[in-house]
Amino acid sequence: MDKIKFILNGVEKEFLGNRGDNAKVFLRNHGIITMREGCDGEGNCGLCSIILDGKVVNSCLLIVGQLEGREVYTTEFFSNKRDLNTLQKAMVMAGVVQCGYCSPSIYLALNTLLKVNANPSKEDVKDALSSILCRCTGYEQMFDVITIYNKLLNNEIVDEEKILKEMRVVEKSVCKMDGPKLVRGEKAFVEDYVDPDACILKVLGSPYASAYINDIDVSEAEKVPGVVYILTYKNSPDKVYGRSGQSYPEPSPYDRRIIGQKVYHVGDRVAAVLAETEEAAIEAIKLIKVDYEVLKPVATLEEAMAEDAPIIHNGHISYGTSKTVDNSNIDPREVPVFYNFPVGEDVRKNKVASSKGGMGDVEIGFQEADCVIERTYRTKKAHCTPSEPHVVYSKMVDGRLVVHASTQVPWHARRVIASILDIPENKIRVIKENVGGGFGAKQDMLIEDLSCYLTWITGRGVYYRFTREEEFIAGTSRHDMIITVKLGAKKDGKITAIQMDVKSNTGAFGNHALTVSKNVCNVPLPLFIVPNIKFNIDVYYSNLPNAGAYRGYGAPQGTFALMTAIDELSHEMGLEYSDILKKNTVRSGDKLELLAQLAEIGKGNAEEIASCALIETMEKAMELIDWKNKPKSKKDHIKIGHGMAIVQQKSGIPDIDTANAMIKMLNDGTFIVHMGGTDLGTGLNTVSAQLAAEHLQTDFESVHIIAADTDNTPFDVGAYASSGTHFSCGAVLNAVKKMETIILEAASEMLKEDVKDLKLAYPSKVVGKTGEVTYEQIAFKTQSGKGKGQLIAHANFTTSLHAFPYGTHICEVAVNTNTGEVKINKYYAIHDCGVPINPKLAKGQIFGAVIQSIGHSLYEEMKFDQNAKPLNANLLDYKVAKINDIPEDFRVEFVYTAEENEKYGPRKSVGEISINGAAPALATAIHDATGVWVREWPFSPESILKALGKI
């Protein structure tokens, strides 16, 4: 051990340690928790930033010896008071603290910049933040931080949006409730709550995409000091389960064991080592000997569909219904497959699910058309790359399993864990900690199964965290697809028929296989009023890492194909693209008969659209970008083009999703809301409190939210399908309305007036004809020995309606025809989300989603060799957008809509719809610029040059 001296946060300190140890790990071990990790020491995420001698550096690239004699400052130094400093306050006010995993590093970078440049330019801010990965915000609001910061310094008023004058809290950009905690870098994430005596879990992954394990020898590994337990197929439970975070009964197959004798993709579990130190676990994994029988893998969607394709899942197949299949030729080494009910599967032909439907007769529609085209589009496998990889900490407390999870679905997780362990759900508590980016990937139970099983059988606390490589190969990604679109239209542009055929690759397991793939058609098709529609969907297993839920959930792929095909149709017919869209799109009052065929499961309901500002968003977008007047390029090889797409999504899943909430009045007349909704950094807790405060005529600060703890909050399906503002907030609003009723009843007794003569009034009181009483007085009375008891209200929210949000995404690109590079000059996202409860947070969601969609449109792609081995499972080779990749002119604006009986406006979603637009907008813009169609994402320079005939 060496003595190391350096100044840490203004204090000279002496430590004992090894000079060659990693500086980030060393500092975290000495209580500095504000440094996060997202790249396994590659140095390209910037989440572990520190200030070293006045410069922001990545601590993961340093060794302890490099700190000696130097000055080290971390976010803790700037956060040693309860109040936020000016820059921290500006960050929260700007809305850039979403999941918060990157916020401490962003703070250090901006703080350092402002010390040398009090009025930095946009380019200065880009330079300062260029190395920091923020997967949530889309970066655009980072520039607002500087403006707000300088206004605060000068005691100037920071302007807020004020549209609905009669509202006090709703439709105002109040600061995110957990923003102060996150920007200060306080304890928030799973990694911050791991006890010192916790064991570390490491997994030996398969080097092969398909293989049987003939034998495995762990005898030498078990001798490593500190090893607690080693799990292999030999001592793994036989339980088969599904990892999809979906409501029971799941349409996704149960096709997983904790560890099976067959591996289905590179990185699939072979052995799990639980040890008292990470070093012991890693050493033990090196000593495990495995005898594999290597099989031919299925590496592509085309290979999976082939008649002679190897059978990927050849185990026993069973159903929760009366259906049976021939199981005479199964291999007992395979994991069995169980379906709750048939979903059009043919597992022996690698088909995990299928669906078909429509309305009218497309053949008649095509016969009536004056023009018919058919085009095929391809989308590649993309990864959501959350800043925080999957992570869980499980332990035993009072004989119960307590799970600290980075999850979107705590209740689904509890149910699945209980099923695996064969114990009652009341023996399990799942606490959703702050999530460092979810984006759908944390809707699946990818690690909780293993950690909880080992905690249950050993009694030890288990900390399990994916490495970045594991996040790519053992996590879930977007489904890659082949989509064929056939369109027919009259001379005037009226579409007579649409047919969509979808082939989808779910990878090694069937997580969300059917529901994601149905959304390819379910989401974009109801944008149009067309009499004849047909869709066919087939989903296949392969030996690629598992696909699953990812923001947009199939809609980005389907919207890309359908919108691009419509633009191709417009050029085939010599019509204006925007005119065809306007002629065929849905409007307020239209009845969508197609919805009866498009339910996730079973039959849906035809639905009349209560509000739709789609045309208004198109017109506003086209006006902003000056649609028909492209700027002239100053260079011959640079071509300018405009592109556009209209988009929609659902707001939760009608007739399936449900949410619950409870509100209680405290002794001083303030409130605590217990809600099941799961905030992923989106601001769900904040907008719930805004609605509660608005309706109860109290201050925003008088409402506190407790959320997503299976012991302390009521059931909610979780954060997926864009359900938060509609379902979870709907439950809160219903509970608040019940609270209003019982407050008025209590006040009626106290004031001796009829309830009908009373109303809630600001601040926190009930006013009648003859008198008034405060909430505090009501609480004192009701909670006294002569009162009716503490005022508590519980409610749930369900609906049969979709509450469709709508939008138009429009862009201007410059295509370099010599290099194939695409530069986005302008990108405008115009949305109808009803009334945004918190405009700044809503804009942040849209900016972030657009940047993610620009990524999968232009450069993000998971690549594999012919043996299905990943080639770029790291953040060095898999490129994601950072601040220098955002459009030059990047805007989000809203078109407001209203509905009857919706006091606070229709609560439509924004989180997923915003990821659907970039691919078709960019594809149509590239064509407008160059005259070539690129029908496969990502639109790489190589693909554009090929389309141009230059390579």
Side-chain angles (χ1 to χ4, degrees):
M1 300 287 280
D2 306 308
K3 287 184 179 180
I4 302 106
K5 286 184 179 181
F6 59 91
I7 294 174
L8 177 60
N9 289 329
V11 179
E12 186 174 34
K13 293 194 173 185
E14 181 176 286
F15 301 93
L16 286 177
N18 296 316
R19 296 180 190 278
D21 287 349
N22 181 270
K24 183 193 73 66
V25 175
F26 178 85
L27 290 170
R28 278 196 67 89
N29 288 342
H30 285 86
I32 305 298
I33 68 167
T34 54
M35 300 169 302
R36 305 299 176 183
E37 181 177 335
C39 66
D40 296 340
E42 292 173 345
N44 57 8
C45 74
L47 302 180
C48 64
S49 294
I50 62 173
I51 297 176
L52 182 65
D53 291 344
K55 294 182 179 180
V56 178
V57 299
N58 294 333
S59 61
C60 70
L61 297 179
L62 301 174
I63 59 174
V64 175
Q66 290 176 285
L67 305 180
E68 184 146 28
R70 304 174 78 176
E71 289 188 316
V72 175
Y73 288 91
T74 68
T75 305
E76 279 87 348
F77 175 78
F78 305 96
S79 305
N80 58 355
K81 297 179 181 178
R82 185 175 181 275
D83 295 332
L84 297 179
N85 64 39
T86 305
L87 178 56
Q88 290 171 335
K89 189 174 182 180
M91 287 178 63
V92 175
M93 292 179 71
V96 300
V97 184
Q98 288 193 28
C99 83
Y101 205 68
C102 63
S103 296
S105 290
I106 288 173
Y107 171 81
L108 291 180
L110 293 178
N111 181 69
T112 303
L113 171 64
L114 288 165
K115 282 188 174 180
V116 298
N117 186 347
N119 291 290
S121 66
K122 187 174 182 178
E123 291 306 311
D124 293 329
V125 174
K126 282 186 175 183
D127 183 62
L129 300 180
S130 60
S131 65
I132 298 175
L133 172 64
C134 176
R135 202 59 168 144
C136 296
T137 66
Y139 297 102
E140 181 64 28
Q141 290 167 302
M142 298 291 177
F143 308 117
D144 297 338
V145 174
I146 305 302
T147 302
I148 295 171
Y149 172 77
N150 284 317
K151 285 187 174 184
L152 292 174
L153 282 182
N154 295 321
N155 294 314
E156 297 176 20
I157 295 174
V158 178
D159 294 331
E160 295 281 356
E161 301 91 340
K162 294 182 179 179
I163 305 298
L164 301 181
K165 303 293 186 182
E166 70 274 16
M167 298 290 185
R168 293 178 305 99
V169 185
V170 167
E171 213 266 317
K172 303 294 187 293
S173 295
V174 302
C175 291
K176 197 159 163 280
M177 295 181 80
D178 60 356
K181 173 180 75 172
L182 294 171
V183 78
R184 286 194 293 255
E186 296 174 2
K187 285 187 176 182
F189 301 95
V190 171
E191 62 202 53
D192 301 329
Y193 296 102
V194 180
D195 296 315
D197 63 346
C199 294
I200 304 298
L201 177 60
K202 289 289 182 180
V203 170
L204 173 63
S206 169
Y208 304 108
S210 183
Y212 293 115
I213 302 172
N214 292 328
D215 195 22
I216 186 167
D217 182 357
V218 299
S219 57
E220 292 301 313
E222 289 175 330
K223 297 176 184 177
V224 175
V227 169
V228 175
Y229 195 87
I230 299 179
L231 186 70
T232 71
Y233 79 90
K234 293 182 178 181
N235 56 347
S236 180
D238 289 336
K239 185 76 176 183
V240 177
Y241 56 95
R243 300 187 295 174
S244 303
Q246 297 176 289
S247 295
Y248 178 84
E250 301 98 325
S252 297
Y254 295 7
D255 52 12
R256 180 80 210 188
R257 276 181 177 158
I258 290 182
I259 299 181
Q261 193 174 357
K262 186 181 182 182
V263 292
Y264 293 89
H265 64 89
V266 172
D268 199 2
R269 296 172 185 168
V270 174
V273 176
L274 186 64
E276 293 176 339
T277 65
E278 183 174 14
E279 293 77 12
I282 292 172
E283 180 62 26
I285 280 184
K286 294 176 182 177
L287 297 174
I288 295 174
K289 298 175 182 177
V290 188
D291 177 20
Y292 294 99
E293 179 185 332
V294 180
L295 306 173
K296 181 182 178 181
V298 174
T300 67
L301 180 52
E302 289 84 351
E303 290 177 14
M305 295 188 293
E307 282 296 322
D308 60 347
I311 300 174
I312 292 168
H313 283 271
N314 196 28
H316 185 276
I317 301 172
S318 60
Y319 294 85
T321 64
S322 59
K323 180 177 178 177
T324 59
V325 297
D326 181 6
N327 284 307
S328 58
N329 293 317
I330 65 169
D331 192 310
R333 296 172 293 180
E334 298 262 2
V335 173
V337 178
F338 171 82
Y339 284 91
N340 283 301
F341 47 84
V343 290
E345 70 291 334
D346 189 349
V347 178
R348 306 293 185 231
K349 292 185 178 179
N350 295 330
K351 187 180 291 186
V352 64
S354 65
S355 179
K356 60 184 178 181
M359 56 183 283
D361 188 324
V362 293
E363 294 308 319
I364 292 176
F366 291 131
Q367 289 172 12
E368 294 174 344
D370 296 310
C371 179
V372 177
I373 70 163
E374 185 172 340
R375 302 288 188 269
T376 297
Y377 304 89
R378 182 71 190 255
T379 68
K380 295 297 185 67
K381 197 173 180 68
H383 203 280
C384 69
T385 60
S387 300
E388 173 204 48
H390 279 74
V391 58
V392 66
Y393 174 47
S394 53
K395 62 181 179 180
M396 299 300 299
V397 178
D398 296 331
R400 300 175 73 225
L401 181 64
V402 175
V403 188
H404 297 268
S406 179
T407 180
Q408 299 176 219
V409 287
W411 278 269
H412 291 331
R414 181 179 66 178
R415 172 174 53 83
V416 173
I417 293 165
S419 172
I420 295 169
L421 300 180
D422 197 22
I423 61 175
E425 288 188 26
N426 70 350
K427 296 294 183 185
I428 303 170
R429 177 187 182 189
V430 178
I431 305 167
K432 192 280 302 180
E433 304 295 358
N434 281 75
V435 176
F439 314 122
K442 292 174 183 174
Q443 190 186 339
D444 290 308
M445 272 63 71
L446 303 181
I447 61 176
E448 293 88 348
D449 54 350
L450 186 53
S451 67
C452 290
Y453 177 74
L454 289 172
T455 289
W456 188 253
I457 65 171
T458 67
R460 301 293 295 270
V462 175
Y463 179 52
Y464 182 25
R465 176 189 174 100
F466 273 168
T467 64
R468 182 54 64 179
E469 181 182 36
E470 287 174 322
E471 186 67 31
F472 277 105
I473 65 177
T476 54
S477 61
R478 200 178 290 290
H479 293 68
D480 62 288
M481 298 183 181
I482 300 171
I483 305 169
T484 299
V485 180
K486 187 175 182 180
L487 297 172
K490 294 282 193 181
K491 291 179 181 178
D492 64 354
K494 186 66 178 176
I495 298 175
T496 58
I498 302 176
Q499 180 171 318
M500 293 183 72
D501 293 288
V502 179
K503 308 298 182 186
S504 177
N505 184 357
T506 191
F509 302 101
N511 304 21
H512 307 272
L514 177 63
T515 46
V516 163
S517 302
K518 285 191 74 171
N519 258 15
V520 175
C521 302
N522 286 10
V523 174
L525 283 176
L527 277 166
F528 303 100
I529 303 298
V530 175
N532 305 295
I533 291 177
K534 182 180 179 180
F535 61 87
N536 295 287
I537 300 160
D538 296 300
V539 192
Y540 292 88
Y541 283 119
S542 72
N543 289 120
L544 296 186
N546 205 175
Y550 179 11
R551 193 179 202 168
Y553 206 77
Q557 296 98 310
T559 306
F560 161 57
L562 184 56
M563 287 298 133
T564 309
I566 291 173
D567 194 17
E568 293 206 45
L569 176 71
S570 75
H571 283 82
E572 195 79 17
M573 300 181 69
L575 298 176
E576 165 62 34
Y577 173 43
S578 61
D579 290 342
I580 289 186
L581 293 179
K582 288 179 181 180
K583 183 175 284 289
N584 293 283
T585 52
V586 65
R587 289 165 167 79
S588 297
D590 283 342
K591 190 170 185 179
L592 295 182
E593 300 291 346
L594 181 63
L595 294 182
Q597 302 294 322
L598 290 178
E600 285 215 355
I601 302 170
K603 292 290 183 181
N605 301 305
E607 183 179 328
E608 184 174 306
I609 301 303
S611 65
C612 171
L614 190 50
I615 298 297
E616 291 89 336
T617 66
M618 284 183 63
E619 291 174 344
K620 187 169 185 177
M622 293 168 69
E623 180 184 356
L624 281 174
I625 209 164
D626 197 3
W627 175 250
K628 293 185 178 180
N629 296 303
K630 292 185 298 183
K632 300 290 184 182
S633 175
K634 296 178 181 178
K635 298 179 180 179
D636 290 341
H637 67 285
I638 303 294
K639 306 297 182 182
I640 308 295
H642 284 169
M644 178 170 59
I646 56 174
V647 293
Q648 75 165 23
Q649 197 81 23
K650 294 174 283 188
S651 300
I653 309 173
D655 296 323
I656 293 178
D657 281 359
T658 182
N660 294 270
M662 178 183 73
I663 182 171
K664 58 189 180 186
M665 179 184 279
L666 305 188
N667 196 54
D668 61 354
T670 59
F671 300 91
I672 291 181
V673 173
H674 297 255
M675 62 178 285
T678 308
D679 193 330
L680 307 179
T682 56
L684 177 61
N685 292 356
T686 304
V687 297
S688 297
Q690 286 179 260
L691 285 164
E694 185 72 52
H695 195 85
L696 291 173
Q697 293 295 303
T698 191
D699 291 318
F700 176 71
E701 293 75 13
S702 294
V703 179
H704 178 68
I705 303 287
I706 297 174
D709 179 332
T710 59
D711 267 16
N712 295 319
T713 57
F715 178 82
D716 189 292
V717 293
Y720 60 88
S722 296
S723 61
T725 305
H726 197 56
F727 276 80
S728 299
C729 287
V732 170
L733 194 53
N734 285 346
V736 163
K737 290 175 180 177
K738 286 188 177 181
M739 175 59 73
E740 176 187 20
T741 298
I742 59 178
I743 288 174
L744 293 176
E745 289 172 352
S748 173
E749 295 180 8
M750 296 173 69
L751 293 172
K752 308 302 181 186
E753 294 193 50
D754 285 342
V755 168
K756 64 181 176 61
D757 295 325
L758 303 176
K759 66 177 182 179
L760 306 186
Y762 183 79
S764 304
K765 60 185 178 182
V766 177
V767 175
K769 288 184 175 181
T770 60
E772 63 181 46
V773 60
T774 67
Y775 290 175
E776 185 173 9
Q777 290 169 326
I778 293 172
F780 181 80
K781 175 66 175 179
T782 55
Q783 295 177 32
S784 71
K786 295 183 179 180
K788 61 170 61 177
Q790 183 179 21
L791 299 188
I792 300 174
H794 175 273
N796 81 317
F797 181 89
T798 59
T799 183
S800 296
L801 304 178
H802 285 77
F804 285 117
Y806 296 97
T808 298
H809 286 210
I810 202 162
C811 67
E812 178 184 294
V813 302
V815 182
N816 186 325
T817 57
N818 287 341
T819 66
E821 179 187 7
V822 177
K823 180 184 177 185
I824 305 175
N825 295 333
K826 300 175 181 178
Y827 196 107
Y828 305 149
I830 315 301
H831 280 258
D832 159 23
C833 62
V835 174
I837 308 301
N838 189 310
K840 203 156 283 184
L841 297 184
K843 285 185 177 182
Q845 287 292 292
I846 296 169
F847 280 127
V850 169
I851 289 303
Q852 284 186 315
S853 61
I854 286 173
H856 71 230
S857 300
L858 293 183
Y859 38 80
E860 290 187 35
E861 179 187 353
M862 296 176 69
K863 296 185 178 181
F864 303 86
D865 67 12
Q866 67 274 17
N867 294 314
K869 182 177 180 180
L871 299 175
N872 60 340
N874 58 72
L875 291 179
L876 284 172
D877 298 312
Y878 184 92
K879 303 302 182 184
V880 296
K882 291 184 179 178
I883 195 167
N884 284 318
D885 300 303
I886 69 174
E888 287 295 314
D889 184 0
F890 196 11
R891 304 185 207 175
V892 170
E893 295 192 16
F894 298 111
V895 173
Y896 290 76
T897 53
E899 292 180 12
E900 246 184 284
N901 303 318
E902 287 286 353
K903 183 176 180 181
Y904 307 110
R907 302 180 314 277
K908 302 179 182 181
S909 63
V910 297
E912 284 192 284
I913 181 177
S914 322
I915 205 167
N916 300 338
L922 290 170
T924 55
I926 290 168
H927 175 267
D928 189 47
T930 64
V932 300
W933 295 104
V934 184
R935 301 187 180 99
E936 179 178 297
W937 88 27
F939 316 134
S940 66
E942 292 84 355
S943 64
I944 291 172
L945 291 176
K946 283 182 181 178
L948 288 168
K950 294 195 171 185
I951 59 173

